[in-house]
Structure formats: structure tokens, C-alpha cells
Amino acid sequence: MKTIAKACNAHYLPIFRQQFDTYARFRGEEIDEYTADCLTDEYYEKYKDFTPGQNQFIVRVGRFSQARAVTIEGKRSGDQETTTWLFGCSNQKSQEASLIPFGWILCEVVT
């Protein structure tokens, strides 16, 4: 289980942390504006410095996971995703500044 948790964190944490960057990076280069300005303040503050605990690992699941989250680095054809999927309530006046991303799951191994 420790091997799986280590592999998941090595793969998913850089993708998770990228959403808090001002610019998306791909292969070490800034390529475009990213989602940090669109996230809810609560989500941003709670998770911007997130690090899983010793018995935890993070994964991304579901239809809106994006290609990097579901393929091995260097094995996917093409470059950076062109779409970031975010969720918000339609009754909010300023929805574009109060969104959260789809598909992130924190797993914990209890022994």
C-alpha cells in the first residue's frame, strides 16, 4: 500500500498543486493563465499548501480528470490540456471567482 500511495502522490500532487499557480506550466515553461483566480477563497486557502499525511494519498478520478491525470508522464501524445473543468453554483452572482475543481479524492489507509 505504501508503494501505491507513494506512486499516486508522485504523479498527482504536481498536477494538484499546479491549480494554485498563476500560470500553467508544461515541461518547465509557463504557457498560459491558469485557474488560481477562479477558485473559491475557501478552497484556495485550505488547499494551497496541502501535503498528504503519512498514510494518505491523492488521486483524481472521473470524466473531467484531464489527460495528465490519467496517463503516465511521457506516454501521452499532445501537450497541455486546453480545458480546465471547474464546478460552481449557478445562482451565485460572481460565479467565475467561486469555483472548485472536479475529481480530487484524498485517500487514507487505516490499519
mmCIF file of all heavy atoms in Angstrom, residues 63-111:
data_model
loop_
_atom_site.group_PDB
_atom_site.id
_atom_site.type_symbol
_atom_site.label_atom_id
_atom_site.label_comp_id
_atom_site.label_asym_id
_atom_site.label_seq_id
_atom_site.Cartn_x
_atom_site.Cartn_y
_atom_site.Cartn_z
ATOM 1 N N ARG A 63 -14.713 11.793 -15.256
ATOM 2 C CA ARG A 63 -14.727 12.261 -16.640
ATOM 3 C C ARG A 63 -13.911 13.540 -16.856
ATOM 4 O O ARG A 63 -13.317 13.739 -17.898
ATOM 5 C CB ARG A 63 -16.171 12.505 -17.054
ATOM 6 C CG ARG A 63 -16.312 13.017 -18.444
ATOM 7 C CD ARG A 63 -17.757 13.165 -18.809
ATOM 8 N NE ARG A 63 -17.854 13.700 -20.159
ATOM 9 C CZ ARG A 63 -18.959 14.126 -20.692
ATOM 10 N NH1 ARG A 63 -20.085 14.077 -20.006
ATOM 11 N NH2 ARG A 63 -18.974 14.591 -21.906
ATOM 12 N N PHE A 64 -13.869 14.415 -15.878
ATOM 13 C CA PHE A 64 -13.203 15.704 -16.033
ATOM 14 C C PHE A 64 -11.812 15.725 -15.400
ATOM 15 O O PHE A 64 -11.310 16.764 -15.021
ATOM 16 C CB PHE A 64 -14.082 16.813 -15.444
ATOM 17 C CG PHE A 64 -15.437 16.871 -16.083
ATOM 18 C CD1 PHE A 64 -16.557 16.476 -15.385
ATOM 19 C CD2 PHE A 64 -15.573 17.282 -17.395
ATOM 20 C CE1 PHE A 64 -17.812 16.514 -15.981
ATOM 21 C CE2 PHE A 64 -16.819 17.333 -18.001
ATOM 22 C CZ PHE A 64 -17.938 16.944 -17.290
ATOM 23 N N SER A 65 -11.179 14.571 -15.322
ATOM 24 C CA SER A 65 -9.868 14.457 -14.688
ATOM 25 C C SER A 65 -8.744 15.080 -15.494
ATOM 26 O O SER A 65 -7.703 15.388 -14.949
ATOM 27 C CB SER A 65 -9.521 12.989 -14.449
ATOM 28 O OG SER A 65 -10.414 12.440 -13.531
ATOM 29 N N GLN A 66 -8.896 15.226 -16.768
ATOM 30 C CA GLN A 66 -7.907 15.753 -17.700
ATOM 31 C C GLN A 66 -6.855 14.688 -18.024
ATOM 32 O O GLN A 66 -6.565 13.804 -17.248
ATOM 33 C CB GLN A 66 -7.250 17.038 -17.208
ATOM 34 C CG GLN A 66 -8.251 18.147 -17.001
ATOM 35 C CD GLN A 66 -7.615 19.395 -16.474
ATOM 36 O OE1 GLN A 66 -6.930 19.375 -15.483
ATOM 37 N NE2 GLN A 66 -7.845 20.498 -17.168
ATOM 38 N N ALA A 67 -6.284 14.815 -19.177
ATOM 39 C CA ALA A 67 -5.393 13.791 -19.715
ATOM 40 C C ALA A 67 -4.177 13.526 -18.846
ATOM 41 O O ALA A 67 -3.783 12.378 -18.662
ATOM 42 C CB ALA A 67 -4.961 14.179 -21.129
ATOM 43 N N ARG A 68 -3.547 14.557 -18.305
ATOM 44 C CA ARG A 68 -2.345 14.330 -17.495
ATOM 45 C C ARG A 68 -2.625 13.484 -16.269
ATOM 46 O O ARG A 68 -1.760 12.766 -15.793
ATOM 47 C CB ARG A 68 -1.718 15.655 -17.061
ATOM 48 C CG ARG A 68 -0.998 16.354 -18.166
ATOM 49 C CD ARG A 68 -0.352 17.635 -17.677
ATOM 50 N NE ARG A 68 -1.346 18.479 -17.037
ATOM 51 C CZ ARG A 68 -1.128 19.215 -15.961
ATOM 52 N NH1 ARG A 68 0.053 19.248 -15.409
ATOM 53 N NH2 ARG A 68 -2.076 19.957 -15.452
ATOM 54 N N ALA A 69 -3.819 13.578 -15.722
ATOM 55 C CA ALA A 69 -4.145 12.834 -14.510
ATOM 56 C C ALA A 69 -4.389 11.356 -14.775
ATOM 57 O O ALA A 69 -4.323 10.555 -13.847
ATOM 58 C CB ALA A 69 -5.359 13.449 -13.821
ATOM 59 N N VAL A 70 -4.667 10.994 -16.010
ATOM 60 C CA VAL A 70 -4.997 9.596 -16.291
ATOM 61 C C VAL A 70 -3.994 8.910 -17.215
ATOM 62 O O VAL A 70 -4.247 7.805 -17.679
ATOM 63 C CB VAL A 70 -6.435 9.457 -16.855
ATOM 64 C CG1 VAL A 70 -7.455 9.894 -15.819
ATOM 65 C CG2 VAL A 70 -6.602 10.238 -18.144
ATOM 66 N N THR A 71 -2.869 9.546 -17.489
ATOM 67 C CA THR A 71 -1.827 8.924 -18.299
ATOM 68 C C THR A 71 -0.475 9.099 -17.628
ATOM 69 O O THR A 71 -0.261 10.017 -16.838
ATOM 70 C CB THR A 71 -1.751 9.531 -19.713
ATOM 71 O OG1 THR A 71 -1.539 10.937 -19.606
ATOM 72 C CG2 THR A 71 -2.998 9.257 -20.512
ATOM 73 N N ILE A 72 0.444 8.234 -17.954
ATOM 74 C CA ILE A 72 1.788 8.280 -17.394
ATOM 75 C C ILE A 72 2.583 9.360 -18.107
ATOM 76 O O ILE A 72 2.538 9.484 -19.332
ATOM 77 C CB ILE A 72 2.478 6.905 -17.552
ATOM 78 C CG1 ILE A 72 1.703 5.858 -16.755
ATOM 79 C CG2 ILE A 72 3.932 6.969 -17.105
ATOM 80 C CD1 ILE A 72 2.133 4.444 -17.009
ATOM 81 N N GLU A 73 3.336 10.141 -17.323
ATOM 82 C CA GLU A 73 4.164 11.210 -17.875
ATOM 83 C C GLU A 73 5.052 10.662 -18.993
ATOM 84 O O GLU A 73 5.692 9.637 -18.850
ATOM 85 C CB GLU A 73 5.045 11.811 -16.772
ATOM 86 C CG GLU A 73 5.904 12.961 -17.224
ATOM 87 C CD GLU A 73 5.115 14.221 -17.524
ATOM 88 O OE1 GLU A 73 4.028 14.406 -16.964
ATOM 89 O OE2 GLU A 73 5.597 15.022 -18.345
ATOM 90 N N GLY A 74 5.040 11.345 -20.125
ATOM 91 C CA GLY A 74 5.856 10.938 -21.261
ATOM 92 C C GLY A 74 5.201 9.917 -22.173
ATOM 93 O O GLY A 74 5.722 9.594 -23.234
ATOM 94 N N LYS A 75 4.050 9.377 -21.774
ATOM 95 C CA LYS A 75 3.362 8.364 -22.579
ATOM 96 C C LYS A 75 2.139 8.909 -23.299
ATOM 97 O O LYS A 75 1.510 8.232 -24.072
ATOM 98 C CB LYS A 75 2.922 7.177 -21.708
ATOM 99 C CG LYS A 75 4.050 6.476 -21.013
ATOM 100 C CD LYS A 75 4.932 5.772 -22.009
ATOM 101 C CE LYS A 75 6.042 5.019 -21.300
ATOM 102 N NZ LYS A 75 7.013 4.474 -22.232
ATOM 103 N N ARG A 76 1.784 10.150 -23.034
ATOM 104 C CA ARG A 76 0.599 10.748 -23.640
ATOM 105 C C ARG A 76 1.012 11.567 -24.846
ATOM 106 O O ARG A 76 1.984 12.303 -24.805
ATOM 107 C CB ARG A 76 -0.100 11.661 -22.613
ATOM 108 C CG ARG A 76 -1.378 12.277 -23.119
ATOM 109 C CD ARG A 76 -2.074 13.021 -22.004
ATOM 110 N NE ARG A 76 -1.463 14.293 -21.698
ATOM 111 C CZ ARG A 76 -1.727 15.421 -22.360
ATOM 112 N NH1 ARG A 76 -2.574 15.420 -23.353
ATOM 113 N NH2 ARG A 76 -1.144 16.538 -22.013
ATOM 114 N N SER A 77 0.256 11.444 -25.917
ATOM 115 C CA SER A 77 0.549 12.283 -27.077
ATOM 116 C C SER A 77 -0.124 13.634 -26.892
ATOM 117 O O SER A 77 -1.148 13.751 -26.240
ATOM 118 C CB SER A 77 0.036 11.618 -28.361
ATOM 119 O OG SER A 77 -1.354 11.460 -28.298
ATOM 120 N N GLY A 78 0.482 14.659 -27.433
ATOM 121 C CA GLY A 78 -0.059 16.004 -27.292
ATOM 122 C C GLY A 78 0.581 16.730 -26.139
ATOM 123 O O GLY A 78 1.451 16.215 -25.457
ATOM 124 N N ASP A 79 0.135 17.947 -25.921
ATOM 125 C CA ASP A 79 0.716 18.777 -24.880
ATOM 126 C C ASP A 79 -0.281 19.036 -23.772
ATOM 127 O O ASP A 79 -1.148 18.228 -23.508
ATOM 128 C CB ASP A 79 1.213 20.087 -25.491
ATOM 129 C CG ASP A 79 2.429 19.886 -26.374
ATOM 130 O OD1 ASP A 79 3.180 18.945 -26.098
ATOM 131 O OD2 ASP A 79 2.610 20.656 -27.319
ATOM 132 N N GLN A 80 -0.184 20.189 -23.157
ATOM 133 C CA GLN A 80 -1.023 20.615 -22.042
ATOM 134 C C GLN A 80 -2.504 20.552 -22.407
ATOM 135 O O GLN A 80 -2.878 20.763 -23.553
ATOM 136 C CB GLN A 80 -0.642 22.064 -21.699
ATOM 137 C CG GLN A 80 -1.431 22.694 -20.593
ATOM 138 C CD GLN A 80 -0.939 22.259 -19.232
ATOM 139 O OE1 GLN A 80 0.117 21.660 -19.120
ATOM 140 N NE2 GLN A 80 -1.696 22.548 -18.215
ATOM 141 N N GLU A 81 -3.355 20.263 -21.408
ATOM 142 C CA GLU A 81 -4.791 20.318 -21.637
ATOM 143 C C GLU A 81 -5.180 21.716 -22.095
ATOM 144 O O GLU A 81 -4.519 22.682 -21.783
ATOM 145 C CB GLU A 81 -5.572 20.033 -20.341
ATOM 146 C CG GLU A 81 -5.398 18.677 -19.773
ATOM 147 C CD GLU A 81 -4.248 18.592 -18.788
ATOM 148 O OE1 GLU A 81 -3.719 19.628 -18.354
ATOM 149 O OE2 GLU A 81 -3.872 17.484 -18.460
ATOM 150 N N THR A 82 -6.267 21.787 -22.797
ATOM 151 C CA THR A 82 -6.755 23.081 -23.250
ATOM 152 C C THR A 82 -7.979 23.535 -22.459
ATOM 153 O O THR A 82 -8.449 24.639 -22.633
ATOM 154 C CB THR A 82 -7.118 23.032 -24.743
ATOM 155 O OG1 THR A 82 -8.098 22.014 -24.943
ATOM 156 C CG2 THR A 82 -5.885 22.750 -25.581
ATOM 157 N N THR A 83 -8.480 22.668 -21.565
ATOM 158 C CA THR A 83 -9.677 22.987 -20.799
ATOM 159 C C THR A 83 -9.472 22.594 -19.347
ATOM 160 O O THR A 83 -8.944 21.533 -19.066
ATOM 161 C CB THR A 83 -10.899 22.221 -21.349
ATOM 162 O OG1 THR A 83 -11.040 22.519 -22.728
ATOM 163 C CG2 THR A 83 -12.158 22.583 -20.605
ATOM 164 N N THR A 84 -9.898 23.434 -18.430
ATOM 165 C CA THR A 84 -9.916 23.103 -17.012
ATOM 166 C C THR A 84 -11.368 23.102 -16.579
ATOM 167 O O THR A 84 -12.081 24.080 -16.779
ATOM 168 C CB THR A 84 -9.121 24.142 -16.197
ATOM 169 O OG1 THR A 84 -7.766 24.110 -16.628
ATOM 170 C CG2 THR A 84 -9.189 23.841 -14.717
ATOM 171 N N TRP A 85 -11.813 21.992 -15.981
ATOM 172 C CA TRP A 85 -13.201 21.861 -15.582
ATOM 173 C C TRP A 85 -13.360 22.247 -14.127
ATOM 174 O O TRP A 85 -12.729 21.686 -13.249
ATOM 175 C CB TRP A 85 -13.673 20.422 -15.803
ATOM 176 C CG TRP A 85 -13.689 20.057 -17.234
ATOM 177 C CD1 TRP A 85 -12.713 19.412 -17.933
ATOM 178 C CD2 TRP A 85 -14.721 20.340 -18.172
ATOM 179 N NE1 TRP A 85 -13.082 19.277 -19.245
ATOM 180 C CE2 TRP A 85 -14.314 19.834 -19.425
ATOM 181 C CE3 TRP A 85 -15.959 20.981 -18.086
ATOM 182 C CZ2 TRP A 85 -15.102 19.946 -20.561
ATOM 183 C CZ3 TRP A 85 -16.741 21.083 -19.217
ATOM 184 C CH2 TRP A 85 -16.306 20.568 -20.431
ATOM 185 N N LEU A 86 -14.231 23.217 -13.870
ATOM 186 C CA LEU A 86 -14.493 23.696 -12.526
ATOM 187 C C LEU A 86 -15.984 23.667 -12.263
ATOM 188 O O LEU A 86 -16.796 23.765 -13.175
ATOM 189 C CB LEU A 86 -13.960 25.123 -12.356
ATOM 190 C CG LEU A 86 -12.465 25.295 -12.598
ATOM 191 C CD1 LEU A 86 -12.115 26.770 -12.696
ATOM 192 C CD2 LEU A 86 -11.667 24.630 -11.506
ATOM 193 N N PHE A 87 -16.355 23.568 -10.990
ATOM 194 C CA PHE A 87 -17.749 23.491 -10.584
ATOM 195 C C PHE A 87 -18.116 24.727 -9.778
ATOM 196 O O PHE A 87 -17.344 25.188 -8.946
ATOM 197 C CB PHE A 87 -17.968 22.243 -9.720
ATOM 198 C CG PHE A 87 -19.304 22.214 -9.052
ATOM 199 C CD1 PHE A 87 -20.427 21.834 -9.761
ATOM 200 C CD2 PHE A 87 -19.437 22.561 -7.720
ATOM 201 C CE1 PHE A 87 -21.668 21.812 -9.151
ATOM 202 C CE2 PHE A 87 -20.675 22.542 -7.099
ATOM 203 C CZ PHE A 87 -21.793 22.161 -7.820
ATOM 204 N N GLY A 88 -19.306 25.256 -10.015
ATOM 205 C CA GLY A 88 -19.807 26.384 -9.235
ATOM 206 C C GLY A 88 -21.323 26.349 -9.204
ATOM 207 O O GLY A 88 -21.961 25.663 -9.988
ATOM 208 N N CYS A 89 -21.902 27.081 -8.285
ATOM 209 C CA CYS A 89 -23.356 27.171 -8.189
ATOM 210 C C CYS A 89 -23.863 28.237 -9.145
ATOM 211 O O CYS A 89 -23.354 29.353 -9.167
ATOM 212 C CB CYS A 89 -23.767 27.521 -6.766
ATOM 213 S SG CYS A 89 -23.304 26.263 -5.577
ATOM 214 N N SER A 90 -24.875 27.920 -9.918
ATOM 215 C CA SER A 90 -25.361 28.845 -10.940
ATOM 216 C C SER A 90 -26.093 30.046 -10.359
ATOM 217 O O SER A 90 -26.304 31.024 -11.044
ATOM 218 C CB SER A 90 -26.278 28.112 -11.924
ATOM 219 O OG SER A 90 -27.398 27.596 -11.244
ATOM 220 N N ASN A 91 -26.461 30.005 -9.088
ATOM 221 C CA ASN A 91 -27.187 31.128 -8.504
ATOM 222 C C ASN A 91 -26.260 32.175 -7.882
ATOM 223 O O ASN A 91 -26.730 33.140 -7.315
ATOM 224 C CB ASN A 91 -28.200 30.646 -7.461
ATOM 225 C CG ASN A 91 -27.540 29.937 -6.299
ATOM 226 O OD1 ASN A 91 -26.340 29.674 -6.312
ATOM 227 N ND2 ASN A 91 -28.325 29.604 -5.297
ATOM 228 N N GLN A 92 -24.952 32.005 -8.010
ATOM 229 C CA GLN A 92 -24.016 32.982 -7.477
ATOM 230 C C GLN A 92 -23.804 34.089 -8.488
ATOM 231 O O GLN A 92 -23.673 33.848 -9.677
ATOM 232 C CB GLN A 92 -22.681 32.326 -7.138
ATOM 233 C CG GLN A 92 -22.799 31.350 -5.976
ATOM 234 C CD GLN A 92 -21.476 30.650 -5.723
ATOM 235 O OE1 GLN A 92 -20.605 30.614 -6.575
ATOM 236 N NE2 GLN A 92 -21.350 30.089 -4.542
ATOM 237 N N LYS A 93 -23.750 35.343 -8.016
ATOM 238 C CA LYS A 93 -23.594 36.482 -8.904
ATOM 239 C C LYS A 93 -22.250 36.472 -9.615
ATOM 240 O O LYS A 93 -22.160 36.738 -10.794
ATOM 241 C CB LYS A 93 -23.758 37.783 -8.119
ATOM 242 C CG LYS A 93 -25.168 38.035 -7.661
ATOM 243 C CD LYS A 93 -25.277 39.339 -6.921
ATOM 244 C CE LYS A 93 -26.705 39.549 -6.440
ATOM 245 N NZ LYS A 93 -26.853 40.781 -5.690
ATOM 246 N N SER A 94 -21.197 36.172 -8.885
ATOM 247 C CA SER A 94 -19.862 36.189 -9.473
ATOM 248 C C SER A 94 -19.311 34.768 -9.489
ATOM 249 O O SER A 94 -18.365 34.437 -8.795
ATOM 250 C CB SER A 94 -18.935 37.102 -8.671
ATOM 251 O OG SER A 94 -17.648 37.085 -9.248
ATOM 252 N N GLN A 95 -19.917 33.925 -10.292
ATOM 253 C CA GLN A 95 -19.556 32.515 -10.326
ATOM 254 C C GLN A 95 -18.110 32.297 -10.739
ATOM 255 O O GLN A 95 -17.446 31.418 -10.238
ATOM 256 C CB GLN A 95 -20.477 31.756 -11.275
ATOM 257 C CG GLN A 95 -20.180 30.274 -11.305
ATOM 258 C CD GLN A 95 -21.140 29.525 -12.196
ATOM 259 O OE1 GLN A 95 -22.046 30.106 -12.753
ATOM 260 N NE2 GLN A 95 -20.923 28.249 -12.345
ATOM 261 N N GLU A 96 -17.579 33.111 -11.630
ATOM 262 C CA GLU A 96 -16.234 32.874 -12.133
ATOM 263 C C GLU A 96 -15.158 33.062 -11.080
ATOM 264 O O GLU A 96 -14.027 32.679 -11.274
ATOM 265 C CB GLU A 96 -15.951 33.734 -13.347
ATOM 266 C CG GLU A 96 -16.138 35.203 -13.097
ATOM 267 C CD GLU A 96 -16.205 35.995 -14.376
ATOM 268 O OE1 GLU A 96 -16.869 35.552 -15.321
ATOM 269 O OE2 GLU A 96 -15.581 37.055 -14.410
ATOM 270 N N ALA A 97 -15.476 33.603 -9.918
ATOM 271 C CA ALA A 97 -14.498 33.750 -8.843
ATOM 272 C C ALA A 97 -14.859 32.870 -7.649
ATOM 273 O O ALA A 97 -14.415 33.114 -6.548
ATOM 274 C CB ALA A 97 -14.391 35.197 -8.413
ATOM 275 N N SER A 98 -15.669 31.836 -7.866
ATOM 276 C CA SER A 98 -16.092 30.987 -6.748
ATOM 277 C C SER A 98 -16.276 29.542 -7.205
ATOM 278 O O SER A 98 -17.324 28.961 -7.046
ATOM 279 C CB SER A 98 -17.382 31.523 -6.147
ATOM 280 O OG SER A 98 -18.390 31.551 -7.145
ATOM 281 N N LEU A 99 -15.228 28.986 -7.775
ATOM 282 C CA LEU A 99 -15.313 27.655 -8.346
ATOM 283 C C LEU A 99 -14.396 26.677 -7.619
ATOM 284 O O LEU A 99 -13.434 27.068 -6.968
ATOM 285 C CB LEU A 99 -14.927 27.712 -9.823
ATOM 286 C CG LEU A 99 -15.762 28.662 -10.683
ATOM 287 C CD1 LEU A 99 -15.164 28.788 -12.070
ATOM 288 C CD2 LEU A 99 -17.197 28.202 -10.756
ATOM 289 N N ILE A 100 -14.693 25.384 -7.761
ATOM 290 C CA ILE A 100 -13.830 24.325 -7.242
ATOM 291 C C ILE A 100 -13.630 23.288 -8.347
ATOM 292 O O ILE A 100 -14.489 23.108 -9.203
ATOM 293 C CB ILE A 100 -14.410 23.667 -5.966
ATOM 294 C CG1 ILE A 100 -15.799 23.097 -6.219
ATOM 295 C CG2 ILE A 100 -14.442 24.648 -4.814
ATOM 296 C CD1 ILE A 100 -16.374 22.322 -5.059
ATOM 297 N N PRO A 101 -12.486 22.612 -8.356
ATOM 298 C CA PRO A 101 -12.207 21.639 -9.417
ATOM 299 C C PRO A 101 -12.916 20.305 -9.184
ATOM 300 O O PRO A 101 -13.201 19.926 -8.050
ATOM 301 C CB PRO A 101 -10.690 21.480 -9.342
ATOM 302 C CG PRO A 101 -10.355 21.794 -7.939
ATOM 303 C CD PRO A 101 -11.344 22.826 -7.489
ATOM 304 N N PHE A 102 -13.179 19.611 -10.254
ATOM 305 C CA PHE A 102 -13.784 18.285 -10.204
ATOM 306 C C PHE A 102 -12.742 17.210 -9.885
ATOM 307 O O PHE A 102 -11.574 17.337 -10.246
ATOM 308 C CB PHE A 102 -14.352 17.908 -11.588
ATOM 309 C CG PHE A 102 -15.689 18.490 -11.888
ATOM 310 C CD1 PHE A 102 -15.793 19.597 -12.714
ATOM 311 C CD2 PHE A 102 -16.843 17.925 -11.385
ATOM 312 C CE1 PHE A 102 -17.032 20.127 -13.032
ATOM 313 C CE2 PHE A 102 -18.091 18.451 -11.693
ATOM 314 C CZ PHE A 102 -18.177 19.559 -12.524
ATOM 315 N N GLY A 103 -13.172 16.142 -9.246
ATOM 316 C CA GLY A 103 -12.478 14.871 -9.257
ATOM 317 C C GLY A 103 -11.367 14.575 -8.283
ATOM 318 O O GLY A 103 -10.807 13.492 -8.326
ATOM 319 N N TRP A 104 -11.005 15.461 -7.382
ATOM 320 C CA TRP A 104 -9.913 15.177 -6.464
ATOM 321 C C TRP A 104 -10.420 14.380 -5.267
ATOM 322 O O TRP A 104 -11.428 14.730 -4.668
ATOM 323 C CB TRP A 104 -9.252 16.462 -5.976
ATOM 324 C CG TRP A 104 -8.460 17.110 -7.052
ATOM 325 C CD1 TRP A 104 -8.765 18.256 -7.732
ATOM 326 C CD2 TRP A 104 -7.226 16.646 -7.612
ATOM 327 N NE1 TRP A 104 -7.808 18.527 -8.666
ATOM 328 C CE2 TRP A 104 -6.842 17.557 -8.614
ATOM 329 C CE3 TRP A 104 -6.411 15.545 -7.359
ATOM 330 C CZ2 TRP A 104 -5.679 17.397 -9.373
ATOM 331 C CZ3 TRP A 104 -5.261 15.384 -8.115
ATOM 332 C CH2 TRP A 104 -4.897 16.308 -9.103
ATOM 333 N N ILE A 105 -9.669 13.316 -4.928
ATOM 334 C CA ILE A 105 -10.033 12.456 -3.800
ATOM 335 C C ILE A 105 -8.812 12.262 -2.921
ATOM 336 O O ILE A 105 -7.718 11.960 -3.404
ATOM 337 C CB ILE A 105 -10.526 11.070 -4.282
ATOM 338 C CG1 ILE A 105 -11.783 11.228 -5.135
ATOM 339 C CG2 ILE A 105 -10.772 10.148 -3.100
ATOM 340 C CD1 ILE A 105 -12.261 9.934 -5.735
ATOM 341 N N LEU A 106 -8.995 12.439 -1.622
ATOM 342 C CA LEU A 106 -7.949 12.150 -0.656
ATOM 343 C C LEU A 106 -8.249 10.788 -0.045
ATOM 344 O O LEU A 106 -9.311 10.578 0.547
ATOM 345 C CB LEU A 106 -7.903 13.219 0.444
ATOM 346 C CG LEU A 106 -6.867 12.994 1.540
ATOM 347 C CD1 LEU A 106 -5.453 12.989 0.982
ATOM 348 C CD2 LEU A 106 -7.025 14.047 2.637
ATOM 349 N N CYS A 107 -7.330 9.863 -0.227
ATOM 350 C CA CYS A 107 -7.487 8.500 0.306
ATOM 351 C C CYS A 107 -6.629 8.349 1.556
ATOM 352 O O CYS A 107 -5.542 8.912 1.644
ATOM 353 C CB CYS A 107 -7.026 7.472 -0.727
ATOM 354 S SG CYS A 107 -7.898 7.598 -2.294
ATOM 355 N N GLU A 108 -7.129 7.593 2.504
ATOM 356 C CA GLU A 108 -6.388 7.369 3.742
ATOM 357 C C GLU A 108 -6.398 5.883 4.056
ATOM 358 O O GLU A 108 -7.438 5.241 4.029
ATOM 359 C CB GLU A 108 -7.020 8.149 4.894
ATOM 360 C CG GLU A 108 -6.251 8.058 6.174
ATOM 361 C CD GLU A 108 -6.777 9.015 7.233
ATOM 362 O OE1 GLU A 108 -7.825 9.643 7.032
ATOM 363 O OE2 GLU A 108 -6.116 9.117 8.268
ATOM 364 N N VAL A 109 -5.225 5.355 4.357
ATOM 365 C CA VAL A 109 -5.075 3.940 4.718
ATOM 366 C C VAL A 109 -5.144 3.838 6.229
ATOM 367 O O VAL A 109 -4.350 4.436 6.940
ATOM 368 C CB VAL A 109 -3.733 3.373 4.208
ATOM 369 C CG1 VAL A 109 -3.583 1.927 4.613
ATOM 370 C CG2 VAL A 109 -3.628 3.548 2.695
ATOM 371 N N VAL A 110 -6.142 3.097 6.708
ATOM 372 C CA VAL A 110 -6.323 2.901 8.138
ATOM 373 C C VAL A 110 -5.988 1.452 8.456
ATOM 374 O O VAL A 110 -6.567 0.524 7.871
ATOM 375 C CB VAL A 110 -7.777 3.220 8.552
ATOM 376 C CG1 VAL A 110 -7.973 3.000 10.042
ATOM 377 C CG2 VAL A 110 -8.151 4.619 8.152
ATOM 378 N N THR A 111 -5.050 1.276 9.364
ATOM 379 C CA THR A 111 -4.643 -0.099 9.724
ATOM 380 C C THR A 111 -5.031 -0.438 11.141
ATOM 381 O O THR A 111 -5.311 0.392 11.948
ATOM 382 C CB THR A 111 -3.130 -0.286 9.568
ATOM 383 O OG1 THR A 111 -2.454 0.674 10.362
ATOM 384 C CG2 THR A 111 -2.733 -0.157 8.122
#
